[in-house]
């Protein structure tokens, strides 16, 4: 029978370390991150048999917030920049869904990192998305988040290696699922089963 699972992304991590594995405790720097960290802690205390899934930027099929922003910046319908110093480990939505389903149907408890293996800046990720969208010749605006007043961690690299050893689902890196022949999104289901 499926057990309790709590999934959330990485705002409860400071970025003080280079890599965060499943044993790392939340250390938020924003109120939003603190709320997520409190929820994770409550689930782990109140439901010891629960699984907690931590993830990163979710990408896939051109509909994520980051993909929509890249497209708008590339065609000039939005102002802004993509940060060169804001590092994450993007995961494909289909890989994430398959991995979450696998965790939910299992009887294992604990923390699972469901993020891709490629650590990329939001700008580098944007370049890969633009290339996939056929906008590779467009120069995307770049900036440094450290120069802005936006709170939060700059470099959050979720290390999913321990989780990956426990799952059959392969969590692909963004370079793989955004690269290649332009059909990379459609191969996720086949790659995971």
């Amino acid at each position: 029978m499926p057990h309790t699972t709590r999934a959330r992304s990485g705002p409860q991590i400071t970025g003080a370390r280079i890599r965060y594995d499943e044993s790392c405790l939340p250390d938020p720097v924003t109120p939003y991150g603190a709320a997520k960290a409190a929820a994770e802690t409550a689930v782990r205390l109140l439901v010891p048999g629960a699984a907690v899934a931590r993830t990163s930027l979710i990408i896939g099929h051109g509909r994520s917030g980051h993909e929509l922003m890249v497209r708008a910046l590339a065609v000039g319908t939005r102002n802004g920049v993509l940060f060169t110093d804001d590092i994450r480990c993007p995961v494909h939505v289909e890989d994430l869904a398959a991995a979450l389903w696998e965790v939910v149907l299992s009887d294992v408890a604990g923390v699972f990192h469901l993020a891709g293996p490629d650590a990329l800046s939001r700008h580098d990720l944007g370049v890969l998305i633009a290339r996939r969208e056929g906008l590779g010749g467009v120069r995307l605006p770049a900036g440094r988040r450290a120069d802005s007043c936006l709170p939060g961690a700059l470099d959050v690299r979720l290390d999913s290696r321990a989780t990956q050893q426990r799952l059959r689902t392969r969590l692909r890196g963004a370079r793989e699922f955004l690269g290649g022949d332009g059909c990379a999104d459609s191969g996720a289901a086949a790659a995971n089963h």
Side-chain angles (χ1 to χ4, degrees), residues 13-94:
I13 296 175
T14 62
R17 302 174 60 136
I18 296 296
R19 292 199 166 277
Y20 291 85
D21 66 21
E22 292 83 349
S23 68
C24 294
L25 296 175
D27 57 348
V29 294
T30 66
Y32 177 64
K36 287 185 163 223
E40 176 181 315
T41 301
V43 166
R44 293 183 73 193
L45 287 172
L46 297 173
V47 189
V52 173
R54 296 174 180 164
T55 190
S56 189
L57 290 176
I58 303 169
I59 305 295
H61 306 301
R63 296 186 300 260
S64 74
H66 196 75
E67 289 166 290
L68 295 172
M69 181 172 63
V70 167
R71 195 173 308 117
L73 287 169
V75 300
T77 58
R78 178 178 178 159
N79 292 324
V81 298
L82 294 173
F83 296 125
T84 58
D85 59 346
D86 190 324
I87 311 296
R88 300 293 185 269
C89 296
V91 64
H92 192 279
V93 65
E94 288 181 5

Side-chain angles (χ1 to χ4, degrees), residues 99 102-103 112 114 162-171:
E102 189 175 338
V103 169
F112 294 82
L114 303 176
T163 294
Q164 191 63 83
Q165 291 176 359
R166 298 167 69 183
L167 298 178
R168 290 181 313 134
T169 302
R170 189 168 71 86
L171 300 167

Side-chain angles (χ1 to χ4, degrees), residues 7 9-10 14 28 31-32 52 80 82 84 87 92 95 110 113-114 116 120 127-128 131 135 149 156 159 164 173 175:
S9 58
T14 62
Y32 177 64
V52 173
L82 294 173
T84 58
I87 311 296
H92 192 279
D95 297 351
H113 280 186
L114 303 176
L120 297 170
V127 169
L128 290 174
R131 208 174 285 149
L135 303 167
C149 59
V156 178
D159 184 341
Q164 191 63 83
R175 289 183 183 93

